[in-house]
Amino acid sequence: MEGEYTYMFTVGHQLYGVSGPFGLTNGINKQDKIGLVKFTEEELTPELISSIPLPDITVSPVHIAHQVVLKDNIVHVIGEAESIKEKFLTNLMMWNVDNGQLALERLATSTDLKFSSFYTHQNALKNDELYWFNDRAELKRTNLKTFKTDLIQSYNVDVTEELYYSARFLKNNDIHMVVNDTTWGNSFDKDGTKMRILKTSLNHPQDYTEFPIKDGKRLSRLFSKESLTPTHNSFAVNPKLAE
């Protein structure tokens, strides 16, 4: 698979990639440009659909949602693609998978923290309303026709410069969040690693239940290396919760 890509996604069984803004001689990666690439045939040969200048040459749109959402041949991506007055903006990036056209809608100003986490999913699309979590673990809702964005609910997640939560939208409208309340530097506290699962739903997002994860000392041993973070390695899609 030739080329360098900032992220990849699938539409049905078709694999796409977004090329990184590097000036390479492969015809895919071009300086200060991002391209939409389609991978074809069994060999996954990259086929460049379009190449577009970066919205902001100082910001590569790498900080994106862990999933992308497809509606009417438009792939919707929540992420940061530009900086205005030294603030990264949370944008809605929209790729047309037929012609590669990229459109951007500014949704909000992000925090000035040194990391970003955004979560959405195909299960979070309800008619024209797309639900997503921002870097403060707040549930947002964006209308894909008007781009009006509302805050739906916050979930008592303390923001630090560590990776602190992950979220999963389930088919039955449930939402599960894995929250790490322990920074790397405190992994060997008396109680060990502090983690919990939050459970809510798209039907009643204001209501949520917390389930603490026990045996934090065992977790602290498991995640004692900085390369292993509990939130990124805990895909609690449908956990069996203790009584």
Side-chain angles (χ1 to χ4, degrees):
M1 186 181 296
E2 185 180 9
E4 191 280 337
Y5 303 92
T6 57
Y7 62 97
M8 293 185 177
F9 60 90
T10 56
V11 176
H13 297 290
Q14 178 62 57
L15 177 65
Y16 293 87
V18 176
S19 64
F22 299 98
L24 305 180
T25 59
N26 55 12
I28 298 172
N29 298 101
K30 300 181 180 181
Q31 191 71 41
D32 296 335
K33 291 186 177 182
I34 53 175
L36 183 63
V37 178
K38 181 179 181 180
F39 297 95
T40 62
E41 304 172 349
E42 292 184 1
E43 295 80 9
L44 294 179
T45 303
E47 173 187 325
L48 185 64
I49 300 176
S50 70
S51 186
I52 301 168
L54 282 172
D56 183 337
I57 62 173
T58 65
V59 182
S60 176
V62 177
H63 301 298
I64 60 152
H66 283 206
Q67 297 89 10
V68 295
V69 175
L70 175 69
K71 181 177 174 58
D72 301 329
N73 288 338
I74 304 295
V75 169
H76 297 80
V77 184
I78 301 289
E80 295 179 346
E82 59 180 337
S83 176
I84 303 295
K85 296 182 179 179
E86 299 182 351
K87 289 284 189 179
F88 287 112
L89 293 190
T90 301
N91 290 324
L92 178 64
M93 291 174 277
M94 293 165 285
W95 282 106
N96 186 308
V97 296
D98 294 327
N99 59 26
Q101 183 178 357
L102 175 67
L104 228 66
E105 283 289 337
R106 295 173 182 171
L107 300 183
T109 301
S110 183
T111 67
D112 57 357
L113 295 176
K114 297 178 181 178
F115 73 101
S116 303
S117 295
F118 301 92
Y119 295 89
T120 187
H121 190 267
Q122 195 70 38
N123 295 336
L125 178 63
K126 303 299 178 186
N127 298 317
D128 291 318
E129 305 284 353
L130 178 62
Y131 292 82
W132 52 280
F133 283 94
N134 66 6
D135 54 354
R136 295 176 293 281
E138 298 170 334
L139 182 62
K140 298 273 193 169
R141 181 180 62 204
T142 297
N143 185 289
L144 297 185
K145 288 187 175 180
T146 65
F147 304 111
K148 183 177 183 295
T149 299
D150 298 309
L151 171 63
I152 302 302
Q153 183 64 35
S154 297
Y155 291 98
N156 189 31
V157 177
D158 292 330
V159 177
T160 70
E161 291 189 2
E162 312 292 346
L163 302 172
Y164 61 96
Y165 85 102
S166 62
R168 295 294 182 268
F169 294 87
L170 308 185
K171 289 183 178 180
N172 62 354
N173 289 328
D174 281 352
I175 304 171
H176 289 168
M177 300 171 62
V178 179
V179 180
N180 176 22
D181 293 314
T182 307
T183 62
W184 287 335
N186 296 323
S187 294
F188 294 98
D189 284 349
K190 179 179 66 174
D191 299 326
T193 298
K194 302 179 183 67
M195 291 180 64
R196 55 197 162 109
I197 293 176
L198 298 182
K199 183 177 180 180
T200 184
S201 70
L202 290 177
N203 295 332
H204 303 284
Q206 289 80 12
D207 301 328
Y208 63 97
T209 308
E210 294 191 17
F211 300 89
I213 299 177
K214 298 180 180 180
D215 202 355
K217 291 184 178 180
R218 180 184 295 181
L219 285 173
S220 67
R221 290 194 299 270
L222 178 62
F223 297 110
S224 60
K225 296 182 179 180
E226 292 187 1
S227 59
L228 291 176
T229 57
T231 46
H232 267 202
N233 291 275
S234 300
F235 298 98
V237 175
N238 193 15
K240 182 177 180 181
L241 303 174
E243 297 294 335

